[in-house]
Amino acid sequence: MRQFIVLGHDVPTTPDFPLDALPSEAGRLDVLCRCVNSAFFLSHDLRDDVRVSLVLQDDVTITFEGSDLHRLNPDERSTAALVRKALEHKDEAIGHMAAESSPGVSISRKDFATTLSEAADGGTVVQLHQDGDPIVEREPPANPVFVLSDHHDFTDEEAALLSEQADARVSLSPRALHADHAITVAHNYLDTDGFSEY
Amino acid sequence: MRQFIVLGHDVPTTPDFPLDALPSEAGRLDVLCRCVNSAFFLSHDLRDDVRVSLVLQDDVTITFEGSDLHRLNPDERSTAALVRKALEHKDEAIGHMAAESSPGVSISRKDFATTLSEAADGGTVVQLHQDGDPIVEREPPANPVFVLSDHHDFTDEEAALLSEQADARVSLSPRALHADHAITVAHNYLDTDGFSEY
């Protein structure tokens, strides 16, 4: 299983935002929607061995589970609608129990530390960093966990948590990439078994 | 210069479509908007050595010129607004002369054959194909031209034109990728000088 955790620092944790102003009125939810797209879509297919966890304001986590997903469309607006629907179900999420809001999409009251620690259990946490080892030099792990941030850098606290849990620190590119592009590159590295199988 | 030509088979060539229904009422313009995003965006930066040509219905070409672009935002809706604005200026494009509709965005009455042939002049046309050579085995060209299609396959005529002009036929991945993801992988291949420099 490939896991991607994406931190949305400004995305509202209540569903009162319009779908036609994602950059300005939904805390750049468009960034997270593009990450969901990159994580799941293949041409005429969905990747079912993928889980994406969107951590909003270090307060709630919305999880997209590839094996159960239906009705995911590639455009930002429809993915944002799934996120908004999940937020409408927040009150049904008690403790760390998740509430499913649509097939394969659920919401839970988990902060970043909890979501990361659960993903790390059985997974290899890969920290993406421009000063990391070139990813081409690393053997692809069986169950990688990639952690990405939205348009903001990680906070010091988030970066410390990630460094603590990370099993590897790698660089995907000499250029600084958007989170959704980083996900695409990570998939390509895994799909090609380290840029060797085509 | 890196060039990407993307064919939009169903995108309207008149500006009478709503921005809040791109998949259903704008011929999957959302696909093309994501291609523009992948082609230009770096984290907190735009790639200025890139040109994207969107060919709509083999009738008009909308060109995004990295060196002149301002006001490009990463979300689909705002890019679609730039396309719609370009279509509003279609009548100003006479013959093959382009009309600029916003900084770095212009429209011209060029079909695919014309746009491809202009790009091929001084550029290396790279055909993406699952049966092509693994891209990792090829030296990155100085001025590559990648040609991609939207959610439809190339028509027989388009495929024939492309094969005729192509200098190389390469595979980016063992999986069939969306066009925007293919652009991201192509950039990563070029940025890393063939997955060797990080």
Side-chain angles (χ1 to χ4, degrees):
Chain A
M1 148 107 43
R2 303 177 187 176
Q3 292 190 66
F4 301 94
I5 299 173
V6 191
L7 307 186
H9 294 92
D10 299 335
V11 173
T13 58
T14 51
D16 47 355
F17 55 83
L19 296 177
D20 54 7
L22 299 177
S24 57
E25 291 178 52
R28 297 303 309 276
L29 178 54
D30 60 306
V31 177
L32 273 55
C33 293
R34 287 193 294 280
C35 289
V36 171
N37 172 309
S38 296
F40 288 109
F41 280 99
L42 288 166
S43 190
H44 307 297
D45 203 5
L46 278 181
R47 297 179 186 266
D48 56 11
D49 60 338
V50 168
R51 179 183 299 149
V52 172
S53 300
L54 308 178
V55 182
L56 311 187
Q57 296 195 33
D58 202 24
D59 182 31
V60 300
T61 294
I62 295 175
T63 303
F64 289 71
E65 192 74 46
S67 53
D68 300 331
L69 270 181
H70 304 301
R71 289 187 237 150
L72 186 68
N73 289 306
D75 65 298
E76 292 163 12
R77 185 187 172 93
S78 67
T79 303
L82 292 177
V83 169
R84 194 168 70 171
K85 189 168 176 197
L87 290 170
E88 287 167 2
H89 288 256
K90 190 170 70 173
D91 288 347
E92 299 162 27
I94 318 248
H96 283 175
M97 287 286 291
E100 190 172 62
S101 52
S102 51
V105 184
S106 60
I107 183 167
S108 61
R109 292 176 183 272
K110 288 177 191 160
D111 60 7
F112 174 47
T114 306
T115 295
L116 178 60
S117 146
E118 287 183 2
D121 185 17
T124 301
V125 177
V126 182
Q127 184 176 13
L128 301 175
H129 199 287
Q130 285 204 274
D131 298 330
D133 301 329
I135 197 164
V136 69
E137 295 175 6
R138 289 240 161 209
E139 285 292 306
N143 297 296
V145 179
F146 295 93
V147 184
L148 304 114
S149 185
D150 57 10
H151 56 302
H152 294 305
D153 288 336
F154 291 111
T155 65
D156 290 346
E157 199 185 337
E158 289 161 356
L161 256 173
L162 180 51
S163 293
E164 204 178 288
Q165 293 272 4
D167 300 295
R169 196 167 82 143
V170 306
S171 168
L172 294 178
S173 167
R175 313 297 300 263
L177 304 179
H178 276 201
D180 58 320
H181 301 162
I183 290 173
T184 298
V185 172
H187 268 320
N188 188 242
Y189 155 75
L190 296 165
D191 290 343
T192 57
D193 197 20
F195 308 114
S196 64
E197 303 286 334
Y198 284 77
Chain B
M1 147 104 49
R2 303 177 186 176
Q3 293 191 65
F4 301 94
I5 299 174
V6 191
L7 307 186
H9 295 90
D10 300 334
V11 173
T13 59
T14 51
D16 47 357
F17 54 83
L19 296 177
D20 53 8
L22 300 177
S24 57
E25 292 179 50
R28 299 301 311 273
L29 178 53
D30 60 306
V31 176
L32 273 55
C33 293
R34 287 192 293 280
C35 289
V36 171
N37 172 308
S38 296
F40 288 109
F41 280 98
L42 289 166
S43 190
H44 307 294
D45 203 6
L46 277 182
R47 296 179 186 269
D48 57 11
D49 60 338
V50 167
R51 178 184 299 149
V52 172
S53 300
L54 308 178
V55 183
L56 310 187
Q57 296 194 32
D58 202 23
D59 182 32
V60 301
T61 294
I62 296 175
T63 302
F64 289 72
E65 193 72 46
S67 53
D68 299 331
L69 271 180
H70 303 300
R71 290 186 238 151
L72 185 68
N73 289 307
D75 66 299
E76 292 163 12
R77 186 188 171 94
S78 68
T79 303
L82 292 177
V83 169
R84 193 167 71 171
K85 190 169 177 194
L87 290 170
E88 287 167 3
H89 289 254
K90 190 169 68 172
D91 287 348
E92 298 161 29
I94 318 248
H96 282 175
M97 286 286 291
E100 189 171 62
S101 51
S102 52
V105 184
S106 60
I107 184 167
S108 61
R109 293 175 183 274
K110 289 178 191 160
D111 60 7
F112 174 46
T114 307
T115 295
L116 178 61
S117 148
E118 287 183 2
D121 185 18
T124 302
V125 178
V126 182
Q127 184 177 12
L128 301 175
H129 199 288
Q130 284 205 276
D131 298 330
D133 301 329
I135 197 164
V136 68
E137 294 174 5
R138 289 237 160 213
E139 285 293 306
N143 296 299
V145 181
F146 296 93
V147 184
L148 304 115
S149 185
D150 57 9
H151 57 301
H152 294 305
D153 288 336
F154 291 111
T155 64
D156 290 346
E157 199 185 337
E158 289 160 358
L161 256 173
L162 180 51
S163 292
E164 203 178 290
Q165 292 273 5
D167 300 294
R169 195 167 81 142
V170 306
S171 168
L172 294 178
S173 167
R175 313 297 300 263
L177 304 180
H178 276 200
D180 58 319
H181 301 164
I183 290 173
T184 299
V185 172
H187 269 320
N188 187 242
Y189 155 75
L190 296 164
D191 290 342
T192 57
D193 197 19
F195 308 114
S196 64
E197 301 287 335
Y198 282 80

